[in-house]
Amino acid sequence: MHSCDGCTMCCKFMKVEEISKAGNVWCEHCKIGSGCRIYDERPASCRVYECVWLKTQALEKPMPLALRPDRSKVVIGTGNQGEDIVLYVTPDRADAWQQKEFAPLLGEFQRRGIAVAVSCNDVLRRII
Ligand code: SF4
Ligand code: SF4
């Protein structure tokens, strides 16, 4: 069992329609760096959400700790029915995906022919 270990960054970056939560603002229910205050009653979309960093923790070659969203300030998600990668960033750290720790990962996506876009405030920019 792999866990977010208090990351909580998706509770800031992502929209949650059920509770009208906008992107790039902390959810009112988030205990930042700890977890969800309404964990047992959290919306369905929160229950199923796993960022790509978290998903890889169960794999033989997990993404490194430096890329965990609370450290990297990038939430790695998917688009196009899971075919593409979307790197979510916030306007105050719009260049966070350019930190050196991302270079090997972006190289691997490129080698594997996976499309990658950066999303900042709903503006999607294809980078690979
Ligand atoms: S961004 Fe990923 S690692 Fe962080 S809390 Fe959300 S699902 Fe967990
Ligand atoms: S309801 Fe809970 S899990 Fe969902 S965004 Fe808010 S703090 Fe995060």
Side-chain angles (χ1 to χ4, degrees):
M1 176 71 185
H2 299 273
S3 79
C4 307
D5 201 21
C7 165
T8 68
M9 292 309 283
C10 53
C11 302
K12 177 183 181 186
F13 281 48
M14 312 308 280
K15 295 175 185 170
V16 183
E17 285 185 8
E18 298 100 312
I19 53 175
S20 302
K21 181 204 165 305
N24 293 334
V25 290
W26 283 106
C27 175
E28 60 178 326
H29 305 299
C30 184
K31 197 170 173 194
I32 299 168
S34 175
C36 177
R37 287 196 178 93
I38 57 162
Y39 189 80
D40 290 340
E41 292 86 37
R42 69 198 187 285
S45 58
C46 299
R47 288 175 189 273
V48 298
Y49 187 77
E50 286 190 326
C51 73
V52 174
W53 180 88
L54 181 61
K55 283 185 179 139
T56 72
Q57 299 311 297
L59 304 179
E60 196 177 329
K61 277 178 67 183
M63 284 185 188
L65 192 57
L67 296 189
R68 198 173 77 185
D70 57 331
R71 297 183 178 220
S72 68
K73 309 306 179 203
V74 178
V75 173
I76 307 172
T78 58
N80 186 24
Q81 279 84 46
E83 296 290 311
D84 301 344
I85 290 290
V86 180
L87 305 177
Y88 292 91
V89 295
T90 54
D92 56 328
R93 290 292 310 276
D95 62 349
W97 65 275
Q98 291 175 306
Q99 61 197 281
K100 66 179 185 335
E101 286 81 2
F102 273 94
L105 185 68
L106 295 176
E108 192 173 334
F109 288 141
Q110 191 154 32
R111 272 193 301 281
R112 290 165 56 184
I114 296 172
V116 180
V118 173
S119 174
C120 185
N121 268 355
D122 286 339
V123 177
L124 206 62
R125 181 162 65 95
R126 180 97 180 255
I127 57 164
I128 293 177

